[in-house]
Amino acid sequence: DADVTQTPRNRITKTGKRIMLECSQTKGHDRMYWYRQDPGLGLRLIYYSFDVKDINKGEISDGYSVSRQAQAKFSLSLESAIPNQTALYFCATSDSLTGQETQYFGPGTRLLVL
Amino acid sequence: QQQVKQSPQSLIVQKGGISIINCAYENTAFDYFPWYQQFPGKGPALLIAIRPDVSEKKEGRFTISFNKSAKQFSLHIMDSQPGDSATYFCAASFTGNTGKLIFGQGTTLQVKP
């Protein structure tokens, strides 16, 4: 089984709808991240979380919210989706306790907002 | 000052050739520079990383060259293979930045047989 899973893998929604993207990990890592990937713009950080009680805004948090329901689960919500939120979304984890900075990415969720 | 600029955006190389991707940064506090590799339909995965106390790091056919004074670093793929066709991202972070990575714009590499 994959260490970092994302659901759904693909989603089509309409402008104004609320949607939630979910991320789960079995790596036991304390840190989790949400990124969006757009062609020519690379990966941009939306939110990150050190643990269940510590959530921080990233570079492009406007229009998004997150919830860290447990150490292993980190959800991203679009309260009212708009077309320019069409993108590929990735969840990632890392382990601060080992001092390693490697981030482990999920397979991504492709979102289309019509 | 937080940006990492990556070039080229796309690259086509013949099998057996050398692929070179360049990145430049502004923030001199950055002290960790990884490269991530992403295959279609997959998430990025760490390929190789370097810290500024060395000028070069090699792992198999992949080498990072680091120029601290120029604030630039590059990925060299020797003897490029079709299986290396992927998108490559450089990134940077600094101690105390809570593990946040600043990614470059990405380079799509195609290695022709």
Side-chain angles (χ1 to χ4, degrees):
Chain A
D1 287 342
D3 295 321
V4 184
T5 58
Q6 293 183 235
T7 55
R9 293 294 313 276
N10 294 279
R11 178 74 184 267
I12 300 173
T13 192
K14 294 182 178 180
T15 298
K17 294 291 187 181
R18 181 182 188 277
I19 67 165
M20 179 181 290
L21 309 182
E22 299 185 339
C23 176
S24 295
Q25 53 116 345
T26 59
K27 299 185 75 66
H29 290 172
D30 55 333
R31 293 178 176 176
M32 297 186 75
Y33 311 80
W34 275 105
Y35 293 90
R36 66 177 279 176
Q37 181 178 354
D38 300 276
L41 296 179
L43 292 154
R44 293 181 292 166
L45 184 64
I46 306 172
Y47 272 94
Y48 61 101
S49 171
F50 296 163
D51 61 36
V52 175
K53 296 182 180 180
D54 192 348
I55 294 176
N56 304 275
K57 292 183 178 181
E59 180 186 357
I60 53 165
S61 59
D62 287 349
Y64 302 94
S65 63
V66 292
S67 173
R68 184 89 182 261
Q69 301 94 326
Q71 187 183 33
K73 296 184 182 294
F74 193 35
S75 300
L76 176 72
S77 294
L78 287 67
E79 297 300 327
S80 179
I82 56 177
N84 77 358
Q85 291 178 313
T86 293
L88 187 53
Y89 290 85
F90 287 101
C91 173
T93 74
S94 68
D95 184 1
S96 69
L97 299 179
T98 61
Q100 294 186 1
E101 291 149 311
T102 303
Q103 292 192 12
Y104 297 85
F105 285 78
T109 294
R110 188 170 297 279
L111 175 65
L112 173 61
V113 182
L114 299 174
Chain B
Q1 218 185 13
Q2 291 281 71
Q3 282 188 327
V4 177
K5 295 183 179 180
Q6 182 173 346
S7 62
Q9 186 170 355
S10 63
L11 181 61
I12 300 174
V13 173
Q14 292 293 326
K15 179 182 176 181
I18 302 174
S19 303
I20 301 175
I21 304 170
N22 301 297
C23 284
Y25 63 97
E26 291 294 325
N27 192 334
T28 55
F30 286 143
D31 62 1
Y32 174 68
F33 302 90
W35 285 88
Y36 280 76
Q37 180 187 52
Q38 181 185 29
F39 293 107
K42 305 290 186 182
L46 179 67
L47 179 64
I48 186 173
I50 196 169
R51 295 192 182 276
D53 53 342
V54 296
S55 60
E56 185 175 284
K57 183 173 182 180
K58 184 176 181 180
E59 291 184 2
R61 296 184 293 107
F62 300 90
T63 299
I64 300 178
S65 296
F66 186 80
N67 186 329
K68 189 173 182 178
S69 61
K71 293 185 286 185
Q72 295 176 347
F73 59 110
S74 59
L75 176 69
H76 296 238
I77 306 174
M78 310 300 289
D79 186 27
S80 298
Q81 299 296 313
D84 297 329
S85 297
T87 298
Y88 293 81
F89 294 97
C90 63
S93 71
F94 55 92
T95 303
N97 199 30
T98 66
K100 289 194 301 180
L101 291 172
I102 311 299
F103 283 91
Q105 294 76 18
T107 297
T108 300
L109 170 66
Q110 181 184 359
V111 181
K112 290 192 169 183

